[in-house]
Amino acid sequence: MTAKKLFLLDASSYIFRAFYATPSLKNAKGFPTNAIYGFVQMLSSLMRQHEIDHLVSVYDRPEPTFRKQAYQEYKAQRAETPEDLSRQIPLLKEIVQEMGVPALEKIGFEADDLIGTLAYQARDLGYEVVIVTGDKDLMQLVQPGIRLLDTMKNKWCDEAEVKEKFGVKPSQVIEVLGLAGDSSDNIPGVPGVGEKTAMALMEQFGNLEGLYENIEQLKGKRKEILIANKELAFLSRQLATIDTKVSFEWKEDDFKLRAPDQEKLNAIYQDLGFQRLIKKIETESETNAVSERPEKLSSHYQLIQSLEALDALIQKMKQASWLAVDTETTSLNTWEARLVGISLSFKEGEAYYLPVGHSFPTTAAVPIWGEKNETPPLHLMPGQLPLKEALRRLKGVLENPKILKIAQNFKYDDQVLRKYGIEIQGFAFDTLLASYLVEPAAAHNLDRLSQHYLGHKMISFKEVTENKKNPSFAEVSLEKALAYSAEDADVAFRLKKILEEELKTQELEEVFHQIEIPLLPILSGMELLGIKIDREFLSQLQKDFSQKLELSQKKIYALAGREININSPKQLGQLLFEELKLPVQRKTKTGFSTDVEVLTELAKYHEVPKEILFYRSITKLKSTYVDALLNLARPGTDRVHTSFNQTIAETGRLSSSDPNLQNIPIKTEEGKKIRQAFIAEKGFELLSADYSQVELRILAHLCSDAALIQAFEKDEDIHRLTAASIFGVAPGEVTSLMRGVGKTVNFGIVYGQTPFGLSQQLGIPPQKAKEYIENYFEKFPGVQSYRQSLLQEAYEKGKVRTLYGRQRILPDLHSKNPNLRNMAERMAFNAVIQGTAADIIKLAMIRFEEIKKKEKLESRLLLQVHDELVFEVKEEEKDTMKKWVQEAMSKVAQFQVPLKVEMGLGKNWGEAH
């Protein structure tokens, strides 16, 4: 006869483990879901893998326990539960209840105490007790009939395991903890006594009583420490001891599993976006735990190793409506990457891998693309397709616009294949971009998407490369490459259908298909084209900046009266606050803060912080731009190739990296010189086209404020007009200083700035800043009305949308923390305006490419930086280009106010801007 079993789940411990082990997830409304998802998966796995009739989920309570009364510092070191986790716990408990799992919690007691009491009582009733936990403290409960199970490690713990772990019997675990303490619970133990020493003492004396009765057997410092901390040792044991006599009544049926409420679970999962769990309920099929991975999603993964097999595959692909494409290469750097293989999928559960460049390890240098003899001497593995012939045959399919393409991060695959003479046509779906639009704040890597939407953990790159120090996919065996790469194509193909439905449900189809997807090949081409730098100019600038740094360093030493390490915050803090006695602005955990904000304030009082600011600015310009540009410029072309990132900024703005061209300072003379280093090729000039006050114009259109609209229609100086209103003077009486304040207020309004934030920026009292904002709203009342209506809608829906439908999810609108809530309100207002501006400039880029193709222009788009587009213009096309760029940018949207574009031409970016 099978023994009765009772499973006791240490739920509180598992909630935390699920929260930190599961990637950051949020639903369409921005509600965090990772702890719920991870916990439900672990609980489902437990219930599926074991024959369970009786199970109870045991939770901690927030109220103080008897341990806190005995020792106020108990668990005092623990950080407050992250808000993203605490928000999930009530709903998680509700889900567990609807799953039919009984729950238990009791005020004044920890989950451990309830588990201990239940374990002993159930054992006495003839149950075999299994405590599901990863907490070593519960090892003290282990005895015949009571075992621990850590499902995260798939590890059982019985008496022998406790002995191996602690070197003592389970009953002695508390004795060890009494001496060694437990840092996770802030149980002090005896200072200087570690686990190994405690184990040895308990093996010798049995327990604390035995130790102190025979304390004279010990000698030296250890004896003195133990005697001095006797009370602390007994207190620590008391804190570590699980109470197994908690008073509560229960019957065996109380902890019997019930049938789950499928309808309620389905509704909850639908709201949380748990598509896989919904599918499980609908099909009544079992699912895989988040910590498990089937060997592959489908058994229909096939290596294509002959041209005959490739031809047969091509014939099948010609009949396909959709085709997922993924490349495998030797590097993430497009310019250094050598093609190793291509995976393709045109049917769910089927995928094919075409190996073309797998090689045995070699020490031969691999030339960079563009250099002579670019094909390196390789020792190719047998059983592969000839590279050039395979690509020649694939070209027709990949460049067929009628076969719509799917990819995860299309730009990379597109650029790699362009290197080999293939320009993909018919690209229509990027799973990375779709995920970004659906959940802007989430991670968008394929493995996360697979786990979230398919419940499948993918094979990792580390696994197939066997954790080598300098792994190369080229050296992966064909069988492993098939499993890894075919899975990528298959998962991307499967995700397309799911994400397409998400885009439709969340009304994001327009921004996806009309803006983000058409922009992808444009950005890909811009990155490959790059922009030329003046290497000679930069080299001279490098020398100039080095000289300025040397002079600035000497000046700081002279002002300080001694030499210091200018790059050491500790030494700077000592100089500024201890020696020069400047007012302390802010402290950090390690000392005084010496960030830019602090130094800017201190510069009002002394020359040293002012000079340090200058030193830092030159250091940053030299390292971040001058040195970096010289290193990044490609030999032979002197062009740098920044990467434009579509999925970083939640507002929809593009960002750039390697190098970052978005943050080049243009207010200082030194910063302006950086732009002069970007030049046009011979026979070309650079054209800079910049939207003028586009965000304020968008605001005017959205809020329909009559005064604001009139100002833009008449092309009035909006900053002067605002200054006149907040200072109560006529526009003609506004000084340049007053206009500067007006400009700050204008953009402060766009960014949802508070009176306090504005006061900090302007260096005025908060009350005065409040007056400025009130005067502004009095002049432009439509702005205030629009802001209020927008925030009301944001609170109702948990998100805001741009004019083109892009969404920004704002879960912190409902935060209990007023600072987070206020920040979310500012984000709500700004996201609509800045996001719409981002959409407009993207549409202008798409419109220009359409014009370029139609008019057969040789000029080309190089850069997008904030509200500015930079073109390399053929000298014969200068006048024509001005006309077409003006049309592309100013007529891309029909607003209540005109979109104004300012343009400039020059041999370098500095001249053009």
Coordinates of all heavy atoms in Angstrom, one line a residue, residues 89-118:
I89 N 2.1 39.7 -5.5 CA 1.8 38.6 -4.5 C 0.3 38.4 -4.3 O -0.2 37.2 -4.3 CB 2.5 38.9 -3.2 CG1 4.0 38.8 -3.4 CG2 2.0 38.0 -2.1 CD1 4.9 39.2 -2.2
P90 N -0.6 39.4 -4.1 CA -2.0 39.2 -3.9 C -2.6 38.4 -5.1 O -3.4 37.5 -4.9 CB -2.6 40.6 -3.8 CG -1.5 41.4 -3.3 CD -0.3 40.9 -4.0
L91 N -2.3 38.8 -6.3 CA -2.8 38.1 -7.5 C -2.3 36.7 -7.6 O -3.0 35.7 -8.0 CB -2.5 38.9 -8.8 CG -3.1 38.3 -10.1 CD1 -4.6 38.1 -10.0 CD2 -2.7 39.2 -11.2
L92 N -1.0 36.5 -7.2 CA -0.4 35.2 -7.2 C -1.1 34.2 -6.3 O -1.4 33.1 -6.6 CB 1.1 35.3 -6.8 CG 1.9 34.0 -7.0 CD1 3.4 34.4 -7.3 CD2 1.9 33.2 -5.7
K93 N -1.5 34.7 -5.1 CA -2.2 33.9 -4.1 C -3.6 33.5 -4.7 O -4.1 32.4 -4.5 CB -2.3 34.7 -2.8 CG -1.0 34.8 -2.0 CD -1.3 35.5 -0.7 CE 0.0 35.6 0.1 NZ -0.2 36.3 1.4
E94 N -4.2 34.5 -5.4 CA -5.5 34.2 -6.0 C -5.4 33.1 -7.0 O -6.2 32.2 -7.1 CB -6.1 35.5 -6.6 CG -7.4 35.3 -7.2 CD -8.0 36.5 -7.9 OE1 -7.4 37.6 -7.7 OE2 -8.9 36.4 -8.7
I95 N -4.3 33.2 -7.8 CA -4.1 32.1 -8.9 C -3.9 30.8 -8.2 O -4.5 29.8 -8.7 CB -2.9 32.5 -9.7 CG1 -3.3 33.7 -10.6 CG2 -2.5 31.3 -10.6 CD1 -2.1 34.3 -11.4
V96 N -3.1 30.7 -7.2 CA -2.9 29.4 -6.5 C -4.2 28.9 -6.0 O -4.4 27.6 -6.0 CB -1.8 29.6 -5.3 CG1 -1.7 28.4 -4.5 CG2 -0.5 30.0 -5.9
Q97 N -5.0 29.7 -5.4 CA -6.3 29.3 -4.9 C -7.2 28.7 -6.1 O -7.8 27.7 -5.9 CB -7.0 30.5 -4.3 CG -8.4 30.1 -3.7 CD -9.1 31.3 -3.1 OE1 -8.4 32.2 -2.6 NE2 -10.4 31.3 -3.1
E98 N -7.2 29.4 -7.2 CA -8.0 28.9 -8.3 C -7.4 27.7 -9.0 O -8.1 26.9 -9.6 CB -8.1 30.0 -9.4 CG -8.7 31.3 -8.9 CD -10.1 31.2 -8.3 OE1 -10.8 30.1 -8.5 OE2 -10.5 32.1 -7.6
M99 N -6.1 27.4 -8.7 CA -5.5 26.2 -9.2 C -5.9 25.0 -8.3 O -5.6 23.8 -8.6 CB -4.0 26.3 -9.2 CG -3.4 27.2 -10.2 SD -1.6 27.4 -10.1 CE -1.0 25.8 -10.7
G100 N -6.6 25.3 -7.2 CA -7.1 24.2 -6.3 C -6.1 23.8 -5.2 O -6.3 22.8 -4.6
V101 N -5.1 24.7 -5.0 CA -4.1 24.4 -4.0 C -4.5 25.1 -2.7 O -4.6 26.3 -2.7 CB -2.7 24.8 -4.5 CG1 -1.7 24.6 -3.4 CG2 -2.3 24.1 -5.8
P102 N -4.6 24.3 -1.6 CA -4.9 25.0 -0.3 C -3.7 25.9 0.2 O -2.6 25.6 -0.2 CB -5.1 23.8 0.7 CG -5.4 22.6 -0.2 CD -4.6 22.9 -1.5
A103 N -4.1 26.9 0.9 CA -3.0 27.8 1.4 C -3.1 28.0 2.9 O -4.1 27.7 3.5 CB -3.2 29.2 0.7
L104 N -2.0 28.4 3.5 CA -1.9 28.6 5.0 C -1.0 29.7 5.3 O 0.1 29.8 4.8 CB -1.5 27.3 5.6 CG -1.4 27.3 7.2 CD1 -2.8 27.4 7.8 CD2 -0.7 26.0 7.7
E105 N -1.4 30.6 6.2 CA -0.6 31.6 6.8 C -1.2 32.0 8.1 O -2.4 31.8 8.3 CB -0.5 32.8 5.8 CG -1.8 33.4 5.4 CD -1.6 34.5 4.4 OE1 -1.0 35.6 4.7 OE2 -2.1 34.4 3.2
K106 N -0.4 32.5 9.0 CA -0.9 32.8 10.4 C -0.1 34.0 10.9 O 1.1 34.0 10.9 CB -0.8 31.6 11.3 CG -1.4 31.8 12.7 CD -1.2 30.5 13.5 CE -1.7 30.7 14.9 NZ -3.2 30.9 15.0
I107 N -0.9 35.0 11.4 CA -0.2 36.2 12.0 C 0.7 35.8 13.1 O 0.3 35.1 14.0 CB -1.3 37.2 12.4 CG1 -2.1 37.8 11.2 CG2 -0.7 38.4 13.2 CD1 -3.2 38.7 11.6
G108 N 1.9 36.4 13.1 CA 2.8 36.2 14.2 C 3.8 35.0 14.0 O 4.6 34.8 14.9
F109 N 3.6 34.3 12.9 CA 4.5 33.2 12.7 C 5.0 33.2 11.2 O 4.3 33.6 10.3 CB 3.7 31.9 12.9 CG 3.3 31.7 14.4 CD1 2.1 32.1 14.8 CD2 4.2 31.1 15.2 CE1 1.7 31.9 16.1 CE2 3.8 30.9 16.6 CZ 2.6 31.3 17.0
E110 N 6.2 32.7 11.1 CA 6.7 32.5 9.7 C 6.2 31.3 9.1 O 5.8 30.3 9.7 CB 8.3 32.5 9.8 CG 8.9 33.8 10.3 CD 10.4 33.8 10.3 OE1 11.0 33.1 9.5 OE2 11.0 34.5 11.1
A111 N 6.4 31.2 7.8 CA 6.0 30.0 7.0 C 6.8 28.8 7.6 O 6.2 27.7 7.7 CB 6.3 30.2 5.6
D112 N 8.0 29.0 8.0 CA 8.8 27.8 8.5 C 8.1 27.2 9.7 O 8.2 26.0 9.9 CB 10.2 28.3 8.9 CG 11.1 28.7 7.7 OD1 10.6 28.6 6.6 OD2 12.2 29.1 7.9
D113 N 7.6 28.0 10.6 CA 6.9 27.5 11.8 C 5.7 26.7 11.5 O 5.4 25.6 12.1 CB 6.5 28.7 12.8 CG 7.8 29.5 13.2 OD1 8.8 28.9 13.5 OD2 7.7 30.7 13.1
L114 N 4.9 27.2 10.5 CA 3.7 26.5 10.1 C 4.1 25.2 9.4 O 3.5 24.1 9.6 CB 2.9 27.3 9.2 CG 2.4 28.7 9.7 CD1 1.6 29.5 8.7 CD2 1.6 28.5 11.0
I115 N 5.1 25.2 8.6 CA 5.6 24.0 7.9 C 6.1 23.0 8.9 O 5.8 21.8 8.9 CB 6.7 24.4 6.9 CG1 6.1 25.1 5.7 CG2 7.5 23.1 6.5 CD1 7.2 25.7 4.8
G116 N 6.9 23.5 9.9 CA 7.4 22.6 11.0 C 6.3 21.9 11.8 O 6.3 20.7 12.0
T117 N 5.3 22.7 12.2 CA 4.2 22.1 12.9 C 3.4 21.1 12.1 O 3.1 20.0 12.6 CB 3.2 23.3 13.4 OG1 4.0 24.2 14.2 CG2 2.1 22.7 14.2
L118 N 3.1 21.5 10.9 CA 2.3 20.6 10.0 C 3.1 19.3 9.7 O 2.6 18.2 9.7 CB 2.0 21.3 8.7 CG 0.7 22.0 8.6 CD1 0.5 22.7 7.3 CD2 -0.5 21.1 8.9

